[in-house]
Amino acid sequence: MVESPFDVTIEVGEVLEAEPFPEAEKPEMTKLWIDLGDEEIQSAAQLDHHHDAADLEGRQVLCATNLGSVRIAGFKSEALTVGVPSEEGYPVLVSPDEDVPLGGTLY
């Protein structure tokens, strides 16, 4: 039996802080600081088309946490915040329907 159908680890986190990221080359980027329960990480995501930074604080999100980190305009992004494309092709966040324990792994 397959233990996980994913090559990546996807964990639940809560957005502690979010702010616009105009320094990034891609438009509509947002800086996120995310609590995974046992650690805090940073992520940069192209979310401003559908999400106001202020509205993201306190929201639970899914994060791919074992892809390594990248620097985007000097900001260290340590996870990929998971989204799906809208009809216009812009990311919409994927979140649990109800609050779940932070750090929980998608299976």
Side-chain angles (χ1 to χ4, degrees), residues 1-80:
M1 174 137 188
V2 174
E3 192 168 311
S4 172
F6 306 108
D7 289 334
V8 298
T9 301
I10 299 176
E11 299 180 60
V12 176
E14 181 178 325
V15 178
L16 299 172
E17 185 179 345
E19 65 183 49
F21 191 9
E23 306 88 358
E25 282 185 28
K26 283 189 175 183
E28 312 301 334
M29 293 291 285
T30 304
K31 293 179 185 178
L32 303 170
W33 288 265
I34 300 170
D35 181 3
L36 295 176
D38 61 350
E39 67 176 317
E40 292 181 12
I41 60 169
Q42 300 178 157
S43 180
Q46 195 173 0
L47 300 176
D48 287 3
H49 289 282
H50 293 289
H51 306 281
D52 274 341
D55 295 337
L56 294 172
E57 293 179 13
R59 181 173 177 163
Q60 287 194 332
V61 294
L62 298 179
C63 304
T65 57
N66 65 336
L67 299 175
S69 62
V70 296
R71 286 213 172 268
I72 301 171
F75 181 76
K76 185 178 181 182
S77 184
E78 301 167 299
L80 173 71

